[in-house]
Amino acid sequence: MKGRVAVLGAGSWGTVLAAVLADNGHDVTLWARREEQAQEIDQAHTNRKYLPDVKLPENLRATSSLSEALKGKKAVLFAVPSHSMREIAREARRWIEADALVIHAAKGFEIDSLKRMSEVLAEELGASHAERITVLSGPSHAEEVIRRCPTTVVVASQSAQAAEQAQMLFMNSYFRVYTNPDVIGVEVGGALKNIIALSAGLVDGLGFGDNAKAALLTRGLAEIARLGHAMGAEPITFVGLAGVGDLVVTCTSSHSRNWRAGHMISQGKRLDEVLATMGMVVEGVRTTKAAYVLKERYQVEMPIAEQLYAVLFADKDPEQAVKELMGRGRTQELEEIIGGW
């Protein structure tokens, strides 16, 4: 089935997802904030700022007009940073068709409200869309998807029909899509893995080796699952693509913005310097703030997130943070599951 799709957000991920949809033969319009960027994509079929040396599909159109992007579209993909989601959803709602499928591919929380992106979209788009909003997540570096490297992701929705519609839109020979009913788990896993990726960059930059990295990923996954479960997620989701899958790819690849940011901080750079150098959104920074508050709200232990917060926002020395993590009191590995002897 071929459809008419709007993709909102012309960063690297939004552009690549638009290219996947164009490869699938859909009528795709990509919305960019800047007119110059929209013209470049539309006419030169490039997006040099975010995807240098990449040629985009010739059937991919772009515009800086939200109304033009959304007119007559039966599916809308929000691929904007988490801090922009509410603003753009509020602007877009007047042009989104009442029966349109709504998908988002953002990995973060709204800082002020601590709401997940599907909750933000439901509030802004209204009841007609609320139960059919779908989230796309999983281990998927834009730099590899655009080269059509084999990639697997997951789409989650309260509605099986909506999840299957999103699956059909995206699935092709190099982009495999699974469905999952656990919206909370998929969103929480996609957001919190960025905290562990920042920490992984620190660990690698400090030269602590593979043992430390393996421990970080394992205990980091435990923190993600602990908070996710407290928020209502299914624990099994965190051993899937949106959990361990996304965690591994984001913590072990130099493609990862969060890993690169953590690595730069380990070399003595301040957070503001790092963000200025990156020139792109590093979702893990905002997510660390959100997790610090959420762990208190839900009364769960998240020692890695706590120490990273101190490094990012209280100028704590990263090596001291690691020492404190290693020096924590003795405990069981699986105390939440086995309950002790």
Side-chain angles (χ1 to χ4, degrees), residues 8 31 33 66-67 70 76 78 80-97 102 110 112-113 115 117-126 129 133:
L8 308 186
W31 173 78
R33 280 186 184 271
L66 261 179
S67 60
L70 292 165
V76 180
F78 285 83
V80 298
S82 59
H83 65 269
S84 300
M85 185 67 76
R86 188 178 293 278
E87 171 203 347
I88 292 171
R90 186 171 293 163
E91 287 183 44
R93 64 185 172 191
R94 74 188 77 172
W95 295 296
I96 296 178
E97 304 271 331
V102 174
E110 186 176 55
D112 293 340
S113 68
K115 289 181 177 175
M117 292 298 99
S118 64
E119 294 176 303
V120 172
L121 285 170
E123 287 180 357
E124 293 301 328
L125 301 183
H129 293 291
I133 291 168

Side-chain angles (χ1 to χ4, degrees), residues 29-81:
T29 304
L30 177 60
W31 173 78
R33 280 186 184 271
R34 294 182 296 107
E35 175 62 22
E36 320 87 80
Q37 187 187 22
Q39 286 184 5
E40 179 195 343
I41 295 167
D42 199 53
Q43 297 169 16
H45 306 293
T46 61
N47 189 352
R48 291 186 298 272
K49 178 179 179 181
Y50 294 102
L51 296 164
D53 305 318
V54 166
K55 197 73 173 175
L56 299 171
E58 300 229 345
N59 61 326
L60 173 58
R61 312 299 300 173
T63 180
S64 60
S65 166
L66 261 179
S67 60
E68 183 182 336
L70 292 165
K71 185 179 179 181
K73 300 302 192 297
K74 293 303 180 185
V76 180
L77 170 67
F78 285 83
V80 298

Side-chain angles (χ1 to χ4, degrees), residues 59-209:
N59 61 326
L60 173 58
R61 312 299 300 173
T63 180
S64 60
S65 166
L66 261 179
S67 60
E68 183 182 336
L70 292 165
K71 185 179 179 181
K73 300 302 192 297
K74 293 303 180 185
V76 180
L77 170 67
F78 285 83
V80 298
S82 59
H83 65 269
S84 300
M85 185 67 76
R86 188 178 293 278
E87 171 203 347
I88 292 171
R90 186 171 293 163
E91 287 183 44
R93 64 185 172 191
R94 74 188 77 172
W95 295 296
I96 296 178
E97 304 271 331
D99 60 347
L101 175 67
V102 174
I103 310 161
H104 86 78
K107 296 177 179 179
F109 298 96
E110 186 176 55
I111 293 298
D112 293 340
S113 68
L114 299 178
K115 289 181 177 175
R116 294 174 286 105
M117 292 298 99
S118 64
E119 294 176 303
V120 172
L121 285 170
E123 287 180 357
E124 293 301 328
L125 301 183
S128 64
H129 293 291
E131 292 183 2
R132 299 178 62 251
I133 291 168
T134 303
V135 52
L136 184 151
S137 192
S140 47
H141 286 313
E143 297 86 347
E144 295 182 1
V145 177
I146 199 63
R147 290 168 38 219
R148 298 173 178 81
C149 296
T151 300
T152 56
V153 297
V154 60
V155 289
S157 177
Q158 295 177 45
S159 162
Q161 181 185 29
E164 288 167 3
Q165 285 177 332
Q167 182 183 44
M168 287 189 290
L169 274 178
F170 284 98
M171 193 150 164
N172 62 29
S173 61
Y174 64 87
F175 200 75
R176 182 168 178 79
V177 184
Y178 292 85
T179 59
N180 187 326
D182 183 13
V183 175
I184 297 174
V186 169
E187 288 186 306
V188 170
L192 295 183
K193 56 89 184 180
N194 286 326
I195 297 175
I196 310 306
L198 275 165
S199 305
L202 282 166
V203 164
D204 287 340
L206 293 169
F208 285 157

